[in-house]
Amino acid sequence: MASESKRIVALREEIARHDHRYYVLDDPEVPDAEYDRLMRELRELETRHPKLVSADSPTQRVSGVATREFGVVEHRVPMLSLDNAFSDEDIENFDRRVRERLELGEGARLEYNSEPKLDGLAISLTYEDGVFSVGATRGDGLKGEDVTPNLRTLRSVPLKLRGRGHPRLVEVRGEVFMTDAGFEQMNRDALAGGDKVFVNPRNAAAGSLRQLDPAVTAGRPLEIFFYGVGAIEGGTLPPRHSELLSMLREWGLRTCPEIRVTTGVEGLLGYYRDIGARRATLGYQIDGVVYKVDSLVRQRELGFVARAPRWAIAHKFPAEEEMTQVRDIEWQVGRTGALTPVARLEPVFVGGVTVSNATLHNVDELTRKDVRIGDTVIIRRAGDVIPEIVRVIAERRPRGTKVVALPKACPVCGSDVSRIEGEAVARCTGGLVCAAQRKESLKHFASRRAMDVEGLGDKVVEQLVDAQLVESAADLYLLTAAQLSELERMGEKSAAKLVAAIAKSKNTTFARFLFALGIPNVGEATALSLAEHFGELTVLQDASLEQIMAVPDIGPVVAQDIREFFDEPRNKKIVSQFLARGVNWPAPASGRSEHQPLAGKTFVLTGTLPNLGRADAEALIRKAGGKVTSSVTKKTSFVLAGESAGSKLERAQQLNVPIISEEQLRLLVKAFD
Ligand code: IVH
């Protein structure tokens, strides 16, 4: 008991400190998931020891404080928060509680209004006789900050409601947020101007709204969605929440287009999954969905408990940010010898999966983020994007953390590590001597987008190199089933299957073969451009630097890489071995109008192209047999990017989807021009 009461005091102090960082400074120290855990622990302890509950406990008020700088607005009706649910079972229980309280029968299926839970900051706007008079933040739920002049700068806040016959006074509530694109642009500008960057769109929105100088707010890309009504005087509300939202829309107040009326638990869970699947493409951050009993009569009947309504609940998505410890930092050697620092982490559940590694990209990033062994870090994993270290929690750095420096020798083969002045990447100079480079180039060669050898996965490649069965990728074509069946977990049947798959891969395309070679800086798009431009291998092999540079989007650096690759005697030998061992592809087609060069390829368009309009570009792709989709996934073949491309471009980079220009697209489809 004594130790529990001490823990309660400690938790309250810690939560108060986090509240200050989050609400006052807009600069949180820990991820939300950690904050929620502290609150939950405190609530549990207080439930067990009700005598220890004190008025100043953070559980006794809605979080947040009003800062001194702004005027204070007392909310006519308190701005409450929502209870959180994390599982389907929590939602089933919520629906059951609601039905029981309303004394509805077992089989009754209630109508709920389902809405995205926007991750911004809650605000209240008062309109008197249809004219915007006061705008306030939520603050502690009872009193907020007067941000009227700041809210007036938002284009989506009407200064006068549309239509007529408005209530004498109505207080509408909603969420101010920043779109992902707006946030990225703002941070880019901030970086360029040497200003502070924000850690996420929500903090950027909060920081932008809570500016003492409204001119600063005016320059920030803030948006708003309205989702409810607080006080109302001299007017009445319609009988349903969904109708109330329609009324807001008629008044010219923006509501979220994803809001739906759903029926029963199945409807709620279906909505949750649908929004969850489309979360990354909404263009703004949400951290779950909110379900509200649609009937306002029933809402009134259900009422409130302490700080949250009984008629609504937030169904949260798994946290995308979590904190964990760095156990070690190791250097991975890639296909071209590039050394990448990888943090080995205390496993942590984030974004719906357990993560135990995170890349730090290169030595500069490692230095910039100053990640050390023993540090506590924030990990982010959003959608299917690879996990990354957002930052170190400086306040939690223990004594004796270890700084990791770039090694002088390759950790795999011991060859020298070289780093060209001004380049971010450091490389092992071992080439094919280095087992790591050999393994990675074989993995690349066999991969789906290259030679597509089915069944030749990472584990088999590693064994083949370790057992010295293959020196280079060309040796794959000499492997026998007998040799393969010697490998671990490889039966005769699978050995025979693999030999067949390797043989099948011999029939390929020129572009795939060029990509599979792993020439530095030659990705899928460049390989396609080269194949289309030169048509035949011998022509490319004999091309001068100038001739290679004549291919659109190939500059002097890439041209040099290509030239050096084909000049290197070892590569020459391997290329001729491939041909001698049967690798082949169709000769360039002459009657090209018949074939569809983009068949089977999917494209995503982003930004403004130099010449083609969006519809023209789409038409061009479709005519050439390609498909156009709206969101970038691992399966996207190419992202066609133009001027001021936004988050799709970034996503393409994260997922390693090739990015091409309009000119490259034209080249790919030139048969159709
Ligand atoms: S309704 C009494 N609807 O979530 C009901 N809130 O934890 C109060 N939020 O402070 C809120 N999207 O900032 C509601 N569609 C939505 C919401 C939403 C985001 C936020 C809001 C509120 C917090 C409650």
Side-chain angles (χ1 to χ4, degrees):
M1 169 84 182
S3 73
E4 294 198 324
S5 99
K6 264 198 201 141
R7 178 73 188 144
I8 287 178
V9 172
L11 281 167
R12 284 178 190 158
E13 276 172 17
E14 189 171 358
I15 290 166
R17 188 162 56 84
H18 291 319
D19 278 345
H20 179 74
R21 295 276 306 240
Y22 185 107
Y23 290 101
V24 181
L25 306 178
D26 297 321
D27 180 23
E29 175 184 318
V30 293
D32 290 0
E34 169 69 2
Y35 180 87
D36 292 346
R37 265 193 301 272
L38 296 171
M39 269 304 240
R40 224 172 301 141
E41 187 186 346
L42 179 60
R43 228 173 253 132
E44 276 164 23
L45 283 171
E46 289 184 345
T47 314
R48 276 213 299 275
H49 306 289
K51 284 209 183 100
L52 295 180
V53 178
S54 64
D56 66 348
S57 173
T59 58
Q60 300 308 298
R61 65 170 163 100
V62 189
S63 229
V65 282
T67 46
R68 249 168 274 128
E69 302 102 317
F70 293 95
V72 172
V73 173
E74 204 161 320
H75 300 302
R76 287 183 164 78
V77 174
M79 288 182 80
L80 301 173
S81 71
L82 293 165
D83 274 337
N84 288 331
F86 295 92
S87 65
D88 290 4
E89 200 188 337
D90 290 347
I91 298 306
E92 281 157 17
N93 291 337
F94 162 73
D95 174 64
R96 179 164 343 99
R97 282 195 306 273
V98 167
R99 280 186 290 108
E100 281 170 4
R101 263 199 177 258
L102 294 173
E103 296 180 356
L104 298 175
E106 251 310 295
R109 289 163 85 239
L110 262 180
E111 290 203 324
Y112 292 95
N113 209 91
S114 297
E115 316 180 353
K117 186 168 192 299
L118 306 155
D119 202 7
L121 81 158
I123 46 106
S124 134
L125 286 89
T126 304
Y127 284 86
E128 291 175 63
D129 295 318
V131 179
F132 176 42
S133 58
V134 180
T137 63
R138 182 171 68 150
D140 67 1
L142 302 174
K143 286 183 190 144
E145 291 162 342
D146 185 344
V147 286
T148 313
N150 307 48
L151 282 170
R152 288 177 71 94
T153 70
L154 268 71
R155 299 272 167 213
S156 41
V157 168
L159 300 180
K160 267 182 84 176
L161 297 179
R162 296 163 71 97
R164 353 184 118 254
H166 305 112
R168 205 194 57 66
L169 179 147
V170 62
E171 188 205 337
V172 290
R173 291 175 175 180
E175 197 88 352
V176 167
F177 63 95
M178 208 177 266
T179 60
D180 298 337
F183 167 71
E184 284 156 18
Q185 185 61 49
M186 191 185 103
N187 265 356
R188 266 198 296 274
D189 294 347
L191 264 181
D195 293 334
K196 178 184 165 192
V197 295
F198 285 99
V199 293
N200 57 43
R202 185 196 50 213
N203 293 111
S208 299
L209 187 66
R210 297 173 65 263
Q211 286 287 336
L212 285 170
D213 179 2
V216 177
T217 308
R220 301 281 174 83
L222 291 176
E223 311 215 3
I224 193 166
F225 280 141
F226 291 93
Y227 51 62
V229 168
I232 180 158
E233 291 167 15
T236 49
L237 293 178
R240 294 179 165 276
H241 182 77
S242 46
E243 290 167 340
L244 185 153
L245 293 175
S246 304
M247 181 184 82
L248 295 184
R249 277 191 289 274
E250 272 161 32
W251 286 349
L253 302 167
R254 237 176 131 214
T255 60
C256 175
E258 305 295 338
I259 299 178
R260 303 277 180 274
V261 176
T262 55
T263 309
V265 180
E266 321 80 67
L268 300 181
L269 299 180
Y271 182 81
Y272 178 78
R273 288 193 231 302
D274 172 48
I275 294 288
R278 293 188 297 115
R279 182 182 185 186
T281 59
L282 293 177
Y284 45 86
Q285 298 289 307
I286 63 173
D287 58 351
V289 297
V290 183
Y291 311 129
K292 301 171 180 172
V293 170
D294 199 35
S295 153
L296 297 190
V297 178
R298 286 179 165 156
Q299 284 190 7
R300 253 165 257 137
E301 204 178 318
L302 288 158
F304 297 81
V305 266
R307 43 172 217 113
R310 283 203 195 87
W311 44 263
I313 198 158
H315 192 179
K316 302 282 284 270
F317 294 133
E320 292 192 323
E321 285 192 1
E322 260 298 354
M323 52 184 225
T324 189
Q325 269 88 41
V326 177
R327 279 182 179 167
D328 200 359
I329 296 172
E330 288 176 0
W331 295 89
Q332 249 170 24
V333 185
R335 174 161 60 87
T336 57
L339 260 63
T340 308
V342 177
R344 308 286 177 212
L345 307 166
E346 199 59 49
V348 62
F349 192 72
V350 55
V353 298
T354 301
V355 169
S356 39
N357 301 302
T359 173
L360 281 153
H361 303 289
N362 56 52
V363 63
D364 286 344
E365 168 124 340
L366 175 67
T367 316
R368 187 171 61 75
K369 291 191 171 162
D370 188 22
V371 181
R372 306 182 190 175
I373 300 172
D375 264 335
T376 298
V377 290
I378 295 181
I379 296 292
R380 180 173 174 79
R381 184 192 179 271
D384 36 8
V385 175
I386 49 168
E388 60 163 358
I389 292 186
V390 180
R391 62 188 170 89
V392 169
I393 303 183
E395 293 83 353
R396 303 219 167 180
R397 175 167 283 167
R399 245 186 268 271
T401 50
K402 219 174 113 200
V403 178
V404 173
L406 181 69
K408 294 205 168 22
C410 169
V412 176
C413 71
S415 304
D416 285 349
V417 168
S418 86
R419 187 173 176 202
I420 298 169
E421 264 309 303
E423 266 194 27
V425 209
R427 288 178 203 279
C428 155
T429 54
L432 288 184
V433 170
C434 179
Q437 290 191 48
R438 253 183 294 152
K439 285 176 184 171
E440 293 312 310
S441 54
L442 273 167
K443 287 176 196 170
H444 169 75
F445 183 83
S447 65
R448 196 171 56 80
R449 305 180 95 122
M451 298 298 274
D452 193 17
V453 186
E454 227 187 295
L456 189 54
D458 293 1
K459 289 266 143 50
V460 179
V461 166
E462 275 160 31
Q463 288 190 63
L464 286 173
V465 172
D466 291 339
Q468 299 186 341
L469 285 174
V470 291
E471 177 80 14
S472 77
D475 298 341
L476 287 175
Y477 296 105
L478 299 177
L479 286 171
T480 63
Q483 280 175 315
L484 286 174
S485 57
E486 300 283 295
L487 302 179
E488 241 175 77
R489 268 187 293 238
M490 176 78 70
E492 266 173 40
K493 254 203 186 140
S494 28
K497 245 173 120 178
L498 185 51
V499 170
I502 294 173
K504 188 172 155 216
S505 77
K506 287 180 190 172
N507 300 320
T508 185
T509 65
F510 185 23
R512 274 181 181 269
F513 177 70
L514 282 176
F515 175 56
L517 286 176
I519 305 167
N521 286 314
V522 174
E524 220 175 346
T526 309
L528 253 170
S529 303
L530 286 169
E532 285 279 336
H533 187 91
F534 291 104
E536 282 180 54
L537 180 60
T538 47
V539 183
L540 170 59
Q541 276 174 314
D542 295 339
S544 68
L545 210 53
E546 290 68 35
Q547 285 168 328
I548 300 176
M549 271 159 62
V551 181
D553 279 334
I554 294 191
V557 177
V558 182
Q560 181 74 31
D561 282 334
I562 296 167
R563 210 37 281 149
E564 273 174 19
F565 182 90
F566 289 112
D567 285 340
E568 154 73 44
R570 205 166 35 194
N571 292 335
K572 275 189 194 160
K573 189 173 132 202
I574 293 173
V575 168
S576 58
Q577 281 174 341
F578 278 127
L579 304 180
R581 292 169 193 175
V583 173
N584 71 94
W585 51 85
S590 43
R592 276 192 189 171
S593 57
E594 291 295 311
H595 88 233
Q596 300 225 303
L598 304 185
K601 302 281 179 203
T602 55
F603 289 74
V604 174
L605 275 54
T606 176
T608 315
L609 300 174
N611 307 300
L612 286 175
R614 205 187 170 83
D616 295 334
E618 289 190 7
L620 191 64
I621 291 168
R622 294 216 175 88
K623 208 170 131 202
K627 251 176 54 186
V628 179
T629 62
S630 59
S631 58
V632 183
T633 70
K634 276 188 275 190
K635 295 207 176 111
T636 308
S637 314
F638 298 101
V639 167
L640 175 60
E643 196 57 20
S644 34
S647 56
K648 287 179 187 169
L649 180 64
E650 214 154 281
R651 195 159 159 78
Q653 283 159 345
Q654 282 164 339
L655 296 177
N656 275 328
V657 172
I659 297 156
I660 60 167
S661 65
E662 178 186 313
E663 214 177 349
Q664 275 178 307
L665 174 72
R666 282 178 184 283
L667 191 80
L668 299 185
V669 299
K670 85 170 177 270
F672 286 81
D673 251 346

